[in-house]
Structure formats: C-alpha cells, structure tokens
Amino acid sequence: MKLLHNLFALFFCLSSGYLSAQSGSYKRIDSIPVFQQNGIPLKNPWAGGLNYPLFSEIDLNGDGLKDLFEFDKSNGRIECFINQGTADSVDYKYSSAYFSNFPYLHDWVLFHDYNCDGKEDIFAFSDNYIGIKVYENISSGGTLQFRLVTPLLTSVNNSNIDTIRINSLAYPALIDVDNDGDMDILYLSSCYPRSVDYYKNMSEENGWGCDSLKFQFETACWGNFAFSQGPNTVGTWNTPNCCLTARYAKPYRIDYDPGSAAPRDDSVTNIFAFDENGDGAKDLLIGDIASPYSLLVVNGGTPAAANMVSEDTTFPSYDTPINDASFTNHAYIDVDNDGKKDLLVSPSNESDNSSILFYKNDSTTAVPRFSFHSNLFLEDGMIDVGEGCYPVFFDYDNDGLMDIVIGNNFYNPQLDGVGTALSLYKNVGTTTSPAFQLVTTDYGNISSLNLTGAIYPAFGDMNGDGKPDLILGCGDGTLQYFENTAPSGMPANFVLTTVNYFNFHIGQYATPQIIDLDRDGVPDLVIGSRNGYLKYYRNTGTKDAANFSTTPTNDSLGMANTSFGTTGFSIPFIYNDSGAYKMFLAGEKGIVLHYDHIDGNLTGVFNLTDTIINQSEGDRLSVSGADINSDGKIDLVVGNYAGGAGIFSQSLPLAVQSFTETKPTFELSPNPATNLLTVRLYNMKETDAKINIVDMLGRTVKNTSVNTTTINLDVSYLSDGIYIVELQSAKFHVTRKLIIQH
C-alpha cells in the first residue's frame, strides 16, 4: 500500500517535468524587499541561494546583452539573472520567468554556441546514460526556445562509433581546441595516470562549417602530460604515451565505471580550457576533488599540437590565489560589463555562503590578468544561509506581523567553523505590504549547542502559558524543547529546557509541526523525516503538561509521502481553511504537494489535490505558511537546499490548473502506465508536431503525428522502465518522464 501510494504521489508531480515554475494556484513573488542588518536592501533577496553553481552566459530575453545562467549541482536548481547592462558594474537582476523555457536538466549544464549563430546552445548530462545531451537554441523574437539535437553525443574511435562517456560528477571543456572554427571537447581520461582526452570535431574538415557535432577521438594524452596521484599538480611532462590502458581497439571506455575510481583523490577533475597567455594554444584550469586550489597548466605547443610545459599550482600566483571549498568550477564571462571576460570560481563540495569568487580581468580577453575582487559574487545580494534552508513564519516580537526564522544544515559567516544555527528576519513592513530585515544569523545562540545535522524550528504553546515555545527537530532524529520565558507580549526568549524531548527518535532529519490535529484542545506533533513519511504523535496530556508516547500514533499519516527510493525528507505544513484542515507537503525531489480530507481521517488516506511547486526551486524543499499580506489567503515561504528561500502567493483557487502559457505542453496519464497511455495536449497550434517515446539508450520506440488534443497510445509491448516522451516540431521541443510498470 505504501509503495503504490508513494509511486502515485511521486509521478503525480514529476511526470510533467519542467511544465512550469509552479501550478496555476500559486505564483512566485520576488518583489518583497529584504534588508541587511544595516538597512541596505538586498538586490536579489529571493533568488534562492548558491551552493555548487555552474555559470554560463546566454541572452535570455533577446536584448543583445549576455545574461547569466546558473545551475546548482547540489540541488539541480536553475537560476537566471538578467544583465541590466550598467557599464563597469556587476548588475544582475534575478528572474524566475525563464524556468519553464528550459528542458529537463540535471547533474551539470554548460552553454556553448556550437553552430556559430550567436545563440548559446545547451550541453548537459544525459538523461539515460553516461554522456552528453545537446539542445540547440532556436530562440527568436525574444522568446527563449530549445530543440533537442541528440540525447547522446558520439565519436568515432578506430572505426567504432562510441558514446562520449562523461560522468555526472565532472564536466568537459567545450572549446575550439585547434582554432579551425568548430567546437571540440576535452575531458579527464579514464586511465592512469590521469591525462586528458581530446575529441576533435570534424565538422569543418568535412565542409559543413561549424554547425555539426561530428567528433573523432584523437588521443587520451592531449598536451603530453599526466596529473599526479595526490595533490592537484602535474605528475609527468613530455609523455605522449601517458595513458597506460590499452583499449583503442574496442569502443572507448566500454568498461569504465567512474564510481570505482572515486576513492582516488585525483580521480575526479573539472577541466576548463581558455587561452591564458594569448598565444592561440589552449591552456587548462583544473579543479580537483581533493584540493581547494586551481591548477593552471600552460600549453607551450600549438593549437594543432598541444604540449604542456609549465604549471601554476596556486593560480593566480601573481594575485590572491584561488582557495575555495575544493573541486572548483571555472567560468570565463564578462560579468561587470567592461568588455573583458572575467573569471568566476565556485566549489563543487561543501561550502559556506561566501565561496563564489569573482576575479576581475584587468587586461584583455585575449591576454587576461586577474585580480581578486570578491568571495560573495551574487551571494551578498540574496538570502543564503549556507547549505539547507528551512524557513518558518513566526511572530517573534508580538507586533502582529509574521517574521521568518530559518534553520539550516551548514553555516559559517560570523561563526567559527561550520555548524547549525537559526537566522531571524524581522517583518519591518505593514500588514498589507511585508518587508523583512535581518536581525541575527544566530538567533537564540543555537550554534553554541552544536546540534547534529539540519535543524528545523517549530513554534507552539506546549505548557499552556499562552506563549509560543520552540521545538527544534535535528538531523539525528531527536527533538529539543525550548521554553519561552519572556513576559507576555514581549519578544520571545527561548531557553533550552529538555534535551531529547520525550526521547523521540524519528530516524533522521526530524521536521516537526506543532498543531492540535485531533482538535481536542491540546497541541499534537506531526513530524516529517528522511524516509518521506509523516509521523503523528497524539498528545495524551493536557494543555498545561504535554505527554507523548515514543511510539507514533500513526507512522504514515494520511499515507502522504515524498520519497523517491529510500529518501524523501518530508516537511509538513498543516493549516486551517474555513474550519477544515489542509496540508502542504514539501520534499526531496523539488515538490510541494497539497492535501485535503484530513479531519476525521487521521487513520485513512489524505486526498492529494494539487502540485503547488514542481522542481522549479530545486531539491530538498521546505514549506511554511501564513497570511502575510492580509488578503485572506495563505502565503508560502519555501526553502531549498542551496540555502535560499522564495515567497509564493495564491493566484487561483487550489486544484484549479491553469494552462495559459503560449508554449505548447502536455500531460501523461496514467503515469506509471501499463497498457494504455493518454497524452493530453495544451496550446497546440502547430500542425507538424510529433510525439516520440525514447528509451534509456536513446532509441525511439514509438512515434505518432499529432492531429488531436487527446491521443491514446498502446504501450503494452514496452518493457518496464523509464522513458522520455517528446512533443516536437520545428519550433519547439517539450519532454516528460514516463514510467512503464506492468
């Protein structure tokens, strides 16, 4: 029963892929001001935080300026920043309007204009295999659009056609290595000692110009060097036969498993190529998984015959060297609108909220020279509490305005080392126009307790004195109880009263809510956890003296679940709507669900009515609600694993879906499917559209023309597994995930 409900809940919200930033019932509100402690406003407060970002430049709105695209590897979140174009200034404005224009992207994403049309195309980790998928940028008239070119890039290797096998951990360098006009690929070799693979694009050689992706595997020892086994340095120079694995007579890397290499500290490396000294030959910047420094390897050869001759192990050694959290990513982008490309450096490993490094180019794009300017690129303009963000509305000062208290996983600024803490943002607006100002990044001095893992705050009166107390859920599954000792009507003052409250041990990542669920006048506990289900603990005491059993009253409340496989990280927010309880439920896979049919049904199955957020905010979401603008509707604050938050306000009644976007889209049902699959299409005006079903190897297993808005497809002959359904024409390409389960 749990498994079936789990699958239903998961695919109710995931089957539509990147349908929209949210359903028609709620919309993101980015205009609410947020101020620093000194009163200076944050430029992009609700952008959503940054953990392990990959940056690329792309013109998102068709105004001729290169905007900034960010993909966060820690939670799969897309963030778009519009370049305001102020000369000699970093001037980006966050926009959530472009999310639905992108196809399904995950693990890593890079942009490169491979066909020389002036529009950056997408190169991303493949959906179904180790490799690269490619989308062409077909934007026109200011409308951002992409079309799938291939689900898997291939290359020719000794007359064999083989997938270019690039794993999910490290990404390739996309650059014209030999200066012939088309884009080539460099990537970390699979053999030992580690060297660099070179895939040469034969498009120009074959007379096709630069508009094709026809690769030939050239060598596993590009530049005639190999990395050391240990620190991020070169181990061997002048070694044209550096790859010791003899595997050229068969398809390349057929037996390579990147996971088996992971224990080796030099086995995962990010490669970034650019011409550092202006000689036309491409040099390399290397970010290693075991080092916080960036390694520059200088090419003393030619574009056609690379030969690495020297290194800078603490680049740039002529200025402040790069020193980040480790496994650094690099991007070469003009971020300050001075006509010269600058260097952005970001981590791929655990970090605080001050780890995006901006190095300004003080010379030219052709011969750059970098100077360190900031370790807070974009982060200083947004709410970013580190890694993990769990915001909850709470009126801490009893002024009638809802403030925000944020728990987190990892935190660093103004504190020594990495730990857990609560941040407090006071509502300094009005009852109809909220605004927030940071009060402290260590509310209640919680960091001094050294609590384990993530901490999640819940507020409610547990002792009957009319003042809200605090219960903190912890990463180790325990609860900590803090009594509010402040005089009535004064700002809350929480004192730790009970360690390991009632000896609860939820499992891992306890996320409590205090609510009188059975309406008997005493506060109960509903607690989310790592496994994705909700545990309900009925309070058998009184309003003055709570009493709980360590055994949950219901260990799978409402059969509501957010798990995918073994983890779900569920976070509930139950609220009263005109006398009836309803619930928002956030989870691991970037979803916020809405349920009703709760009252009188505490042992039954809650009714799933709507998908409020569907992947637009990244993974590991949290949710809390309150009416912060006095319109009689619940507003939501949603946190994500990148450390940031967003505000969502209700625009339509719940469970009323709106398909008003001009871009064609579709829904699949049922999903998972067994024998018959129904495809329902919206906003279809084109007459040349087709539907394709593609398997995990990139093969089209079914296709049909679109001639009606509802299409029934026989899928009974397809094997169990994951497929991609494509809606495609000359003008658009939309994809959805499909599960076949007989």
Side-chain angles (χ1 to χ4, degrees):
M1 178 67 175
K2 284 186 179 180
L3 177 61
L4 290 175
H5 187 76
N6 175 23
L7 287 172
F8 172 75
L10 174 68
F11 290 103
F12 180 92
C13 52
L14 290 188
S15 62
S16 59
Y18 281 2
L19 174 61
S20 63
Q22 58 273 336
S23 77
S25 55
Y26 270 77
K27 64 179 180 180
R28 206 177 202 278
I29 305 297
D30 298 324
S31 58
I32 296 175
V34 179
F35 302 92
Q36 302 176 30
Q37 287 171 304
N38 57 11
I40 297 176
L42 297 179
K43 187 165 189 176
N44 299 296
W46 308 107
L50 298 169
N51 274 354
Y52 318 151
L54 289 177
F55 292 104
S56 295
E57 60 180 2
I58 177 177
D59 185 359
L60 294 166
N61 55 4
D63 65 354
L65 294 175
K66 296 300 183 184
D67 307 304
L68 197 62
F69 173 95
E70 182 272 328
F71 180 82
D72 202 302
K73 295 177 67 177
S74 72
N75 71 338
R77 186 166 188 259
I78 289 172
E79 291 182 287
C80 295
F81 295 87
I82 300 300
N83 189 348
Q84 305 293 299
T86 304
D88 298 308
S89 176
V90 178
D91 190 10
Y92 291 103
K93 186 65 177 177
Y94 171 72
S95 175
S96 59
Y98 297 93
F99 174 82
S100 62
N101 296 90
F102 291 97
Y104 175 57
L105 302 172
H106 54 96
D107 291 287
W108 58 260
V109 183
L110 299 173
F111 283 76
H112 189 94
D113 178 15
Y114 81 87
N115 55 6
C116 307
D117 64 353
K119 296 179 287 189
E120 288 77 15
D121 309 296
I122 296 175
F123 292 77
F125 186 61
S126 174
D127 294 330
N128 304 318
Y129 200 62
I130 295 174
I132 305 173
K133 64 179 179 178
V134 182
Y135 292 87
E136 180 188 3
N137 187 338
I138 58 171
S139 303
S140 63
T143 301
L144 188 66
Q145 289 182 305
F146 297 94
R147 177 182 64 84
L148 181 68
V149 175
T150 177
L152 278 173
L153 271 182
T154 61
S155 69
V156 176
N157 176 31
N158 283 346
S159 300
N160 295 305
I161 298 177
D162 186 32
T163 300
I164 299 177
R165 302 190 188 185
I166 292 177
N167 66 50
S168 62
L169 298 178
Y171 56 86
L174 310 175
I175 195 168
D176 183 2
V177 172
D178 52 5
N179 293 344
D180 66 350
D182 53 26
M183 185 204 80
D184 309 300
I185 296 176
L186 299 174
Y187 187 61
L188 180 70
S189 175
S190 64
C191 61
Y192 293 101
R194 289 296 196 189
S195 53
V196 175
D197 290 342
Y198 173 32
Y199 297 89
K200 177 177 171 59
N201 193 341
M202 304 302 294
S203 183
E204 288 283 357
E205 285 76 5
N206 290 328
W208 301 320
C210 60
D211 67 348
S212 299
L213 297 167
K214 302 295 183 181
F215 293 98
Q216 176 177 294
F217 176 69
E218 288 286 295
T219 178
C221 199
W222 182 82
N224 303 324
F225 80 107
F227 298 107
S228 62
Q229 295 187 22
N232 192 19
T233 61
V234 173
T236 310
W237 304 94
N238 301 312
T239 54
N241 297 314
C242 58
C243 187
L244 303 180
T245 304
R247 76 269 190 272
Y248 303 115
K250 62 182 180 179
Y252 182 48
R253 287 198 224 187
I254 193 69
D255 299 318
Y256 175 52
D257 176 11
S260 65
R264 306 185 67 126
D265 61 0
D266 60 341
S267 64
V268 183
T269 296
N270 283 330
I271 294 176
F272 178 78
F274 74 128
D275 186 359
E276 192 269 342
N277 52 19
D279 64 356
K282 302 305 184 290
D283 311 297
L284 295 181
L285 268 179
I286 307 298
D288 189 83
I289 201 167
S291 174
Y293 301 105
S294 292
L295 167 69
L296 173 69
V297 187
V298 178
N299 188 348
T302 67
N307 186 49
M308 314 313 267
V309 296
S310 64
E311 64 180 331
D312 182 350
T313 59
T314 55
F315 179 79
S317 57
Y318 55 78
D319 197 85
T320 302
I322 293 168
N323 188 345
D324 217 335
S326 82
F327 198 16
T328 47
N329 310 305
H330 307 89
Y332 200 32
I333 297 170
D334 179 13
V335 299
D336 58 359
N337 295 294
D338 66 353
K340 299 173 291 188
K341 289 196 173 185
D342 309 295
L343 182 65
L344 294 179
V345 184
S346 56
S348 293
N349 216 331
E350 290 178 3
S351 63
D352 55 34
N353 67 346
S354 56
S355 57
I356 315 302
L357 312 183
F358 167 38
Y359 282 80
K360 179 177 173 58
N361 187 349
D362 296 320
S363 181
T364 65
T365 297
V367 187
R369 188 170 181 85
F370 302 112
S371 61
F372 175 72
H373 266 237
S374 172
N375 64 342
L376 287 167
F377 178 74
L378 293 183
E379 294 176 293
D380 57 355
M382 63 179 69
I383 294 174
D384 190 342
V385 297
E387 191 164 299
C389 177
Y390 310 106
V392 173
F393 285 122
F394 170 60
D395 182 9
Y396 89 100
D397 54 359
N398 283 289
D399 66 352
L401 302 177
M402 279 296 183
D403 313 298
I404 300 177
V405 177
I406 304 177
N408 69 299
N409 274 22
F410 300 98
Y411 200 82
N412 202 1
Q414 304 177 17
L415 303 174
D416 293 330
V418 176
T420 52
L422 295 178
S423 295
L424 172 61
Y425 287 83
K426 174 180 170 57
N427 190 339
V428 294
T430 67
T431 56
T432 58
S433 298
F436 298 94
Q437 181 168 347
L438 176 63
V439 176
T440 176
T441 58
D442 193 13
Y443 181 45
N445 195 29
I446 298 298
S447 67
S448 65
L449 301 178
N450 297 314
L451 297 174
T452 303
I455 55 174
Y456 185 88
F459 301 96
D461 182 7
M462 300 302 297
N463 57 10
D465 64 358
K467 298 175 297 184
D469 305 301
L470 167 65
I471 293 179
L472 277 183
C474 299
D476 62 0
T478 62
L479 303 182
Q480 316 301 322
Y481 172 63
F482 298 76
E483 183 180 351
N484 186 352
T485 62
S488 295
M490 298 299 292
N493 182 57
F494 297 116
V495 176
L496 180 60
T497 304
T498 307
V499 176
N500 198 355
Y501 188 57
F502 281 96
N503 293 314
F504 283 118
H505 197 286
I506 307 305
Q508 287 181 305
Y509 291 90
T511 54
Q513 182 183 1
I514 301 169
I515 186 168
D516 180 9
L517 193 63
D518 60 359
R519 300 185 185 274
D520 66 351
V522 295
D524 307 305
L525 288 172
V526 176
I527 308 175
S529 66
R530 185 175 184 268
N531 74 0
Y533 286 93
L534 301 177
K535 299 181 187 299
Y536 164 46
Y537 292 85
R538 182 176 180 271
N539 186 348
T540 59
T542 66
K543 66 177 182 179
D544 301 320
N547 184 60
F548 295 96
S549 168
T550 57
T551 300
T553 308
N554 188 339
D555 68 353
S556 53
L557 180 66
M559 296 304 295
N561 185 20
T562 59
S563 68
F564 181 74
T566 59
T567 61
F569 295 97
S570 55
I571 297 180
F573 173 68
I574 300 173
Y575 67 103
N576 190 66
D577 182 9
S578 301
Y581 277 142
K582 297 179 181 178
M583 178 175 72
F584 294 99
L585 182 64
E588 179 175 19
K589 289 301 176 182
I591 57 174
V592 175
L593 306 174
H594 184 260
Y595 291 84
D596 63 11
H597 193 37
I598 296 174
D599 291 279
N601 191 31
L602 301 185
T603 59
V605 178
F606 296 167
N607 180 44
L608 178 60
T609 68
D610 203 357
T611 305
I612 304 304
I613 296 173
N614 187 359
Q615 298 180 296
S616 65
E617 301 300 297
D619 292 344
R620 295 280 295 272
L621 301 187
S622 70
V623 64
S624 176
D627 181 5
I628 62 173
N629 55 9
S630 301
D631 65 353
K633 302 174 183 177
I634 291 291
D635 305 295
L636 303 179
V637 58
V638 175
N640 67 69
Y641 197 68
I647 297 289
F648 291 77
S649 290
Q650 191 172 344
S651 58
L652 291 174
L654 290 169
V656 176
Q657 298 291 330
S658 174
F659 295 96
T660 58
E661 55 186 350
T662 58
K663 178 181 177 181
T665 188
F666 66 97
E667 288 186 321
L668 304 174
S669 64
N671 196 356
T674 302
N675 297 313
L676 185 68
L677 174 69
T678 299
V679 183
R680 293 184 176 87
L681 300 104
Y682 303 89
N683 302 319
M684 278 300 303
K685 298 178 181 178
E686 288 76 5
T687 59
D688 63 338
K690 293 183 178 181
I691 290 177
N692 303 315
I693 300 180
V694 182
D695 68 9
M696 294 186 67
L697 297 179
R699 301 173 299 190
T700 299
V701 296
K702 192 175 188 68
N703 62 80
T704 186
S705 297
V706 173
N707 51 25
T708 180
T709 57
T710 301
I711 299 174
N712 294 315
L713 299 176
D714 178 16
V715 294
S716 60
Y717 64 94
L718 296 179
S719 301
D720 287 4
I722 300 175
Y723 296 80
I724 300 296
V725 180
E726 302 174 331
L727 174 63
Q728 188 170 5
S729 78
K731 296 182 178 179
F732 62 85
H733 179 260
V734 186
T735 61
R736 304 283 182 262
K737 282 187 176 181
L738 169 67
I739 292 287
I740 299 296
Q741 185 179 41
H742 294 294

